[in-house]
Amino acid sequence: QNLRDSLDEAGCDIKVRIGLREGSSSFEEAREVGFSEDADTLGEMYDIIGKSDLVMLLISDAAQAALYKEVFAAMKPGATLGLSHGFLLGYLESIGESFPEEMDVIAVCPKGMGPSVRRLYEQGKEVNGAGINASFAVHQDKSGKATDLALGWGVALGSPFMFETTLTSEYCSDIYGERGILLGAVHGIVESLYRRYQRQGMSPEQAFIESCESITGNIVKIISTKGIKAVYDGLNDDDKKIFEEAYSASYMPSKEILQEIYDEVSSGNEIRTVIMHGKRIDKFPVGKIDGTDTWQVGEKVRESRDEEN
């Protein structure tokens, strides 16, 4: 949507198309925001790939690993492959393969989820500087124009600031951040504290407040806008001592675990794990997190949360 709207506003006649697998439920969502088969802006995935000068491959990591050969074969000569994540490079390297030499390969990687990219793009029409920052990478530049294309893509996406990286650095930092912080660490810390506090006699509701709410509740607003130092500065003297003791005790164990996670990612082990997981997911599906005790108790607690304090 962002690309289409930016190009329309600039008066360009470049057509933005969406390609989906047959039977995808996303067809209806695409139609609701203005894409259609009649206008030749919506169609089957490989048909759209074959028509495109820039193929933005935005399917899941597992799907990229499973379908990359078909995608490469469907691309027309001279087309550019665009990625929003460096995972495919990591996967290809792990199996001793590479991108076809005759194509440009670029990436524009927004530092936020899709809904946020769209919401802040629309906000940016009225608020200067709104938008999601992005990194960009040029992995192969056969045409000599790959950098210009990547920057143009980022601008059309609505990124107010872009910084250069490499596909290797991107996937290492992204997957490491997910496993070590965004998903792995936050979930692990919350679950362990939630169970520990209950073993010490707390009610489930209070245990949730002392664990999950401490990380994802109001304190996150301070960390997001002012950093964790501001949390420390806001404590009284006794609580500052507790903070210092806890920080010092946890620093080296955490650093060791995070180093192990980064090594697993950079070596390709984590990528191989993702692929193996994708192959067995039909037989062993992932459980739903909203069915866990922590999640269900959390829904009750959040209903009574005071967002202003």
Side-chain angles (χ1 to χ4, degrees), residues 205-222:
E205 290 77 13
Q206 188 62 33
F208 183 87
I209 291 171
E210 297 294 337
S211 57
C212 189
E213 289 289 271
S214 294
I215 296 176
T216 64
N218 292 327
I219 192 173
V220 77
K221 296 178 182 178
I222 300 174

Side-chain angles (χ1 to χ4, degrees), residues 19-93:
L20 302 168
R21 69 181 186 280
E22 291 186 1
S24 171
S25 59
S26 296
F27 270 99
E28 191 55 40
E29 294 179 30
R31 295 185 188 107
E32 289 176 357
V33 295
F35 294 89
S36 70
E37 293 89 341
D38 291 342
D40 191 29
T41 55
L42 179 63
E44 188 276 331
M45 175 176 167
Y46 292 109
D47 179 53
I48 297 298
I49 288 174
K51 295 178 179 179
S52 301
D53 297 306
L54 169 59
V55 176
M56 298 177 181
L57 192 63
L58 307 180
I59 57 179
S60 70
D61 292 346
Q64 289 187 27
L67 302 175
Y68 73 93
K69 290 182 180 179
E70 290 86 347
V71 171
F72 294 167
M75 292 175 63
K76 66 183 183 181
T80 296
L81 178 66
L83 304 167
S84 63
H85 180 27
F87 177 89
L88 185 54
L89 172 65
Y91 174 68
L92 292 176
E93 290 180 339

Side-chain angles (χ1 to χ4, degrees), residues 95-113:
I95 59 174
E97 296 190 26
S98 59
F99 296 106
E101 293 182 358
E102 68 274 9
M103 67 170 60
D104 288 356
V105 180
I106 63 175
V108 172
C109 312
K111 304 309 166 185
M113 301 296 287

Side-chain angles (χ1 to χ4, degrees), residues 10 31 33 40 43-44 54 63 75 80 110 160 168-169 173 180 239 266 295 303 305:
R31 295 185 188 107
V33 295
D40 191 29
E44 188 276 331
L54 169 59
M75 292 175 63
T80 296
T168 299
S169 294
S173 64
D239 287 342
S266 61
W295 190 279
E303 286 178 357
R305 179 193 290 167

Side-chain angles (χ1 to χ4, degrees), residues 8-276:
D8 286 348
E9 188 169 336
C12 296
D13 59 359
I14 298 173
K15 182 173 289 189
V16 177
R17 298 183 175 98
I18 293 178
L20 302 168
R21 69 181 186 280
E22 291 186 1
S24 171
S25 59
S26 296
F27 270 99
E28 191 55 40
E29 294 179 30
R31 295 185 188 107
E32 289 176 357
V33 295
F35 294 89
S36 70
E37 293 89 341
D38 291 342
D40 191 29
T41 55
L42 179 63
E44 188 276 331
M45 175 176 167
Y46 292 109
D47 179 53
I48 297 298
I49 288 174
K51 295 178 179 179
S52 301
D53 297 306
L54 169 59
V55 176
M56 298 177 181
L57 192 63
L58 307 180
I59 57 179
S60 70
D61 292 346
Q64 289 187 27
L67 302 175
Y68 73 93
K69 290 182 180 179
E70 290 86 347
V71 171
F72 294 167
M75 292 175 63
K76 66 183 183 181
T80 296
L81 178 66
L83 304 167
S84 63
H85 180 27
F87 177 89
L88 185 54
L89 172 65
Y91 174 68
L92 292 176
E93 290 180 339
S94 75
I95 59 174
E97 296 190 26
S98 59
F99 296 106
E101 293 182 358
E102 68 274 9
M103 67 170 60
D104 288 356
V105 180
I106 63 175
V108 172
C109 312
K111 304 309 166 185
M113 301 296 287
S116 296
V117 174
R118 181 59 180 172
R119 175 171 50 81
L120 290 177
Y121 173 87
E122 293 179 319
Q123 181 180 328
K125 296 176 181 178
E126 299 179 1
V127 180
N128 186 34
I132 293 288
N133 294 333
S135 60
F136 77 96
V138 175
H139 185 69
Q140 291 182 183
D141 189 4
K142 184 72 174 180
S143 69
K145 301 177 180 179
T147 299
D148 289 343
L149 187 56
L151 292 173
W153 175 6
V155 170
L157 191 67
S159 296
F161 180 81
M162 298 178 67
F163 59 94
E164 189 172 12
T165 185
T166 65
L167 281 185
T168 299
S169 294
E170 196 288 325
Y171 84 73
C172 283
S173 64
D174 186 78
I175 299 176
Y176 161 76
E178 288 180 351
R179 273 47 167 186
I181 302 169
L182 181 62
L183 302 178
V186 173
H187 190 185
I189 291 169
V190 165
E191 284 289 344
S192 62
L193 288 175
Y194 176 73
R195 297 172 189 179
R196 178 187 180 189
Y197 289 147
Q198 286 188 80
R199 290 196 301 268
Q200 294 176 342
M202 283 188 187
S203 67
E205 290 77 13
Q206 188 62 33
F208 183 87
I209 291 171
E210 297 294 337
S211 57
C212 189
E213 289 289 271
S214 294
I215 296 176
T216 64
N218 292 327
I219 192 173
V220 77
K221 296 178 182 178
I222 300 174
I223 296 174
S224 295
T225 57
K226 300 179 182 178
I228 195 169
K229 180 64 162 52
V231 176
Y232 173 80
D233 291 338
L235 301 174
N236 61 40
D237 290 342
D238 290 340
D239 287 342
K240 282 182 178 179
K241 292 179 180 178
I242 295 174
F243 183 104
E244 291 165 2
E245 291 174 359
Y247 185 91
S248 299
S250 62
Y251 183 85
M252 287 308 298
S254 298
K255 185 176 182 180
E256 181 181 2
I257 293 171
L258 290 170
Q259 183 64 58
E260 180 182 353
I261 291 171
Y262 188 85
D263 291 344
E264 288 290 304
V265 173
S266 61
S267 69
N269 286 347
E270 182 65 22
I271 287 178
R272 284 186 284 271
T273 299
V274 171
I275 301 306
M276 289 187 289

